[in-house]
Amino acid sequence: MTDDLIARLSADLKPVRPMAMQRLLIGATLLSTIVAIAAMLMWLGMRTDMPVAVWTMSFWTKFGYTLIIAALGGVATLILARPDGRTTWPWRAAIAILAALLVVAIVQLVRAEPEEMMPLVVGSTSLVCPWRIVLLGLPMLLAAILALRHMAPANPTLAGFAAGIMAGGAGAWVYSFACAENGMMFLALFYSLGIVMVGAIGAVLGRFLLRW
């Protein structure tokens, strides 16, 4: 009886393409990132000083920090999407990157004039920055959650959180092209807050939508 059941269950199995899981998640993320870029351009527009900004350290620091966090979240998501997925190094790497950014932010503040310190910390968009990152990250998060539903994460909540960090980092990266803030502490505080908020939403969605 058992042998017959196994035979029937495996009779119609088809081979899975190599790296099918990676292809699905990366494809969903790339398509949703294009949607987020289009939304950013229609909603906020590109920063007006872009020709000057691309020659500044602050622009490339935002560019690099958000992209690295998104990549680390993506790596964690791919690992945690498997039933045997276990990992800690992407989280340790993300914390190390944030710590390095905080050091750079402190150096910038130490070198700043007294009247420049507060704008470098809170800027003029601190109340809206995290929420804009959340809104721009949601398309990537929803696409990642849909892709993860075709997989089998052992820890749905943590897999959803990883997908949220990936999406939040990507949303923050998209937002960096519209944001004219130059403070490294602003980046460390408010960009990171927005990314973690998307991660929290991903954890909730993962808990309820990724259970098998």
Side-chain angles (χ1 to χ4, degrees):
M1 178 66 71
T2 302
D3 292 340
D4 291 341
L5 178 60
I6 293 173
R8 287 199 299 270
L9 290 175
S10 60
D12 297 325
L13 290 181
K14 297 179 181 179
V16 178
R17 294 175 60 190
M19 299 184 68
M21 183 174 69
Q22 292 89 335
R23 291 170 183 267
L24 178 61
L25 184 60
I26 292 172
T29 303
L30 289 176
L31 287 175
S32 55
T33 300
I34 294 172
V35 172
I37 291 172
M40 180 274 290
L41 291 174
M42 291 187 293
W43 174 30
L44 301 171
M46 196 78 72
R47 56 186 294 181
T48 56
D49 64 341
M50 185 60 75
V52 176
V54 295
W55 297 100
T56 64
M57 184 192 75
S58 62
F59 174 82
W60 291 108
T61 303
K62 282 193 290 186
F63 184 99
Y65 174 68
T66 54
L67 203 57
I68 290 171
I69 295 298
L72 290 171
V75 170
T77 303
L78 283 171
I79 295 173
L80 293 168
R82 304 178 63 88
D84 57 347
R86 299 288 187 278
T87 187
T88 59
W89 75 261
W91 310 125
R92 294 198 300 267
I95 292 171
I97 293 294
L98 177 58
L101 176 60
L102 286 170
V103 171
V104 173
I106 291 171
V107 171
Q108 185 187 46
L109 289 175
V110 168
R111 293 179 176 178
E113 298 296 330
E115 65 274 11
E116 296 175 335
M117 294 182 69
M118 190 57 67
L120 288 174
V121 175
V122 299
S124 60
T125 59
S126 57
L127 294 179
V128 298
C129 170
W131 298 106
R132 288 174 175 175
I133 289 172
V134 170
L135 291 174
L136 290 172
L138 282 178
M140 283 81 90
L141 175 58
L142 295 176
I145 292 294
L146 289 174
L148 285 170
R149 284 177 61 83
H150 295 278
M151 303 171 199
N155 189 329
T157 301
L158 188 57
F161 178 75
I165 294 299
M166 175 186 67
W173 178 77
V174 171
Y175 178 60
S176 71
F177 291 92
C179 174
E181 302 287 358
N182 295 314
M184 297 296 96
M185 190 60 75
F186 182 95
L187 173 61
L189 294 177
F190 298 102
Y191 270 62
S192 299
L193 176 60
I195 293 170
V196 172
M197 288 167 65
V198 183
I201 296 171
V204 173
L205 292 178
R207 178 179 177 84
F208 292 102
L209 299 180
L210 299 180
R211 291 184 297 182
W212 6 316

